[in-house]
C-alpha cells in the first residue's frame, strides 16, 4: 500500500536505536525526507547516511538531548531550517529508569516530566503552527502500554506518559479541523536495546537469569513473543499516512495482545 506521503518531511526522535530508528527507516522507505534525532551524533550520522543510500531521500542528523529544557525549540528550528519545514513529527526519546514506586523523589520526577511530558509538548507546540497553516500535519507519540496497564517498576514512566496522553488528546481536538492529526502508539514489548536493558536490570535485581525474566514476560503476551521494531513502525507509518487523515486522538496498542483489559 502506498501511504501517500512521498516527499513529506519528517522529524523522528529517538532515531538512533530501537523503535524510533525503525520508524525513520519506514518513513524513508515511503519517500519521506527525514531528520533523525537523539543524543549520539555519531550514531545518527550513520543512520542518516544509511537512509540516504537505501532510499534516496534527504536524511539529516540533528543531535539533541531532550532532557535539556532548551532542546525542543532548538531542535524544531534546526529541523525546519534543514528540511524547509516539517510535516510529520514522531515524539520519542528514552524512558526513565526503574524505581521503587514508594521511593520516588523530586529530582526523579523533574527529570521524568521534562523528558516524557514537557519536551515532547514543546517540540510539537513549536511545529504545529506551520502544519495548521499548511492544512496538513501528523503528530505521533511513541508511548507505552503502561498508560493502560501500569508497569510495577516504572512509576515515573507510567505517570509521565499518562500526562502526555492527556495533552495529546486535548491538542488533537484543537487542530483536527485544519488537516492535522495527533495520535499515539503504545508499544507492548518489542525487542529493542531498551527492553534488553530492562530485562537485564530485572534479572540483576531479582537474582534470576535473563532467560527466566524473558520467559516470565512471554507468559503474559498472548502472541508468545516480543514484537519486532518493524511491526511497531508499520503502524506508526500508517498513522503518518494520507489514508489516516480521519484517525485522530487515538492511542492504540501494538502489543501482541499483552494488555488484558478492554480498550
Ligand atoms: N521497546 C518497547 O517495547 C517499549 C515498550 C514500552 C515503552 N517503550 C518506550 O518507547 C521509547 C522507545 O523505546 P526503544 O525500545 O526504542 O528504546 P531504545 O532502543 O533505548 O531507544 C531510545 C532512543 O531514545 C534516544 N534517547 C534516549 N534518551 C534521550 C534523550 N535524553 N534525548 C534525546 N534522545 C534520547 C536514544 O538515543 P541516544 O542514546 O543516542 O540519545 C534512542 O535513540 C522509550 O521511551 C521506551 O521507554 C518501548
Amino acid at each position: 500500500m502506498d501511504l501517500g506521503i512521498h516527499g513529506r518531511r519528517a522529524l523522528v526522535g529517538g532515531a538512533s536505536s530501537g523503535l524510533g530508528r525503525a520508524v525513520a527507516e519506514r518513513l524513508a522507505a515511503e519517500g519521506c525526507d527525514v531528520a533523525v534525532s537523539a543524543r549520539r551524533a555519531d550514531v545518527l550520522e550513520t543512520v542518516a547516511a544509511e537512509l540516504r543510500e537505501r532510499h534516496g531521500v534527504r536524511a539529516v542528523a540533528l543531535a539533541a538531548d531532550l532532557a535539556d529544557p532548551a532542546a525542543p525549540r532548538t531542535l524544531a528550528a534546526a529541523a525546519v531550517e534543514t528540511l524547509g519545514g516539517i510535516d510529520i513529527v514522531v515524539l520519542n526519546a528514552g524512558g526513565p529508569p526503574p524505581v521503587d514506586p514508594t521511593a520516588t523523589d523530586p529530582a526523579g520526577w523533574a527529570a521524568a516530566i521534562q523528558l516524557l511530558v514537557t519536551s515532547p509538548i514543546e517540540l510539537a507546540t513549536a511545529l504545529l503552527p506551520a502544519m495548521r497553516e499548511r492544512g496538513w500535519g501528523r503528530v505521533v507519540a511513541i508511548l507505552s502500554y503502561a498508560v493502560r496497564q501500569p508497569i510495577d517498576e516504572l512509576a515515573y514512566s507510567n505517570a509521565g506518559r499518562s500526562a502526555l496522553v492527556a495533552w495529546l488528546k486535548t491538542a488533537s481536538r484543537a487542530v483536527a479541523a485544519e488537516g492535522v492529526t495527533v495520535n499515539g502508539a503504545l508499544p507492548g514489548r518489542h525487542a529493542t536495546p531498551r527492553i534488553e536493558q530492562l530485562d537485564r536490570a530485572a534479572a540483576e535485581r531479582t537474582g534470576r537469569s535473563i532467560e527466566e525474566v524473558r520467559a516470565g514476560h512471554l507468559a503474559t503476551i498472548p502472541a508468545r513473543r516480543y514484537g519486532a521494531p518493524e511491526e511497531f513502525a508499520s503502524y506508526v507509518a500508517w498513522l503518518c499516512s494520507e489514508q489516516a487523515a480521519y484517525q485522530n486522538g487515538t492511542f492504540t496498542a501494538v502489543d501482541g495482545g499483552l494488555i488484558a483489559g478492554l480498550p
Side-chain angles (χ1 to χ4, degrees):
M1 175 168 60
D2 176 0
L3 294 183
I5 48 176
H6 195 278
R8 294 286 185 194
R9 300 152 301 184
L11 168 59
V12 182
S16 64
S17 172
L19 302 179
R21 185 172 183 159
V23 168
E25 182 82 43
R26 189 71 172 74
L27 292 177
E30 289 295 327
C32 292
D33 293 326
V34 185
V36 288
S37 188
R39 291 167 303 182
R40 290 170 295 167
D42 53 337
V43 184
L44 285 177
E45 290 294 351
T46 305
V47 171
E50 285 173 2
L51 296 180
R52 287 192 296 269
E53 194 178 322
R54 280 205 280 267
H55 306 293
V57 297
R58 286 188 297 163
V60 294
L62 299 176
D65 182 352
L66 293 178
D68 171 0
R73 295 275 172 178
T74 311
L75 173 60
V80 167
E81 192 184 328
T82 320
L83 293 183
I86 291 295
D87 306 298
I88 295 168
V89 61
V90 178
L91 306 173
N92 178 43
V99 66
D100 176 340
T102 65
T104 61
D105 59 67
W109 281 113
I113 296 301
Q114 184 65 53
L115 185 65
L116 297 179
V117 189
T118 316
S119 283
I121 291 174
E122 278 282 286
L123 189 53
T125 300
L127 296 169
L128 274 169
M131 292 182 187
R132 298 174 81 175
E133 268 167 39
R134 286 194 293 270
W136 201 98
R138 299 285 184 267
V139 177
V140 180
I142 297 183
L143 299 156
S144 169
Y145 75 93
V147 302
R148 294 264 168 73
Q149 188 170 293
I151 301 169
D152 289 346
E153 65 278 16
L154 292 178
Y156 291 132
S157 174
N158 301 336
R161 292 182 203 280
S162 297
L164 181 58
V165 167
W167 179 81
L168 292 164
K169 184 70 185 175
T170 313
S172 74
R173 297 172 58 83
V175 300
E178 290 149 10
V180 179
T181 67
V182 180
N183 290 286
L186 282 47
R189 239 179 150 77
H190 294 260
T192 67
R194 160 89 174 164
I195 289 297
E196 166 92 21
Q197 199 183 30
L198 288 174
D199 285 354
R200 208 165 284 290
E204 276 163 27
R205 227 177 24 250
T206 59
R208 290 178 296 164
S209 69
I210 190 160
E211 289 74 23
E212 286 172 310
V213 170
R214 278 199 196 112
H217 286 299
L218 292 181
T220 69
I221 304 172
R224 296 289 178 259
R225 64 179 177 87
Y226 286 0
E230 295 73 23
E231 293 175 299
F232 183 80
S234 288
Y235 178 62
V236 173
W238 180 75
L239 287 174
C240 297
S241 74
E242 196 58 53
Q243 287 91 333
Y246 204 57
Q247 184 85 356
N248 188 43
T250 68
F251 303 93
T252 300
V254 181
D255 68 349
L258 167 59
I259 297 174
L262 294 171

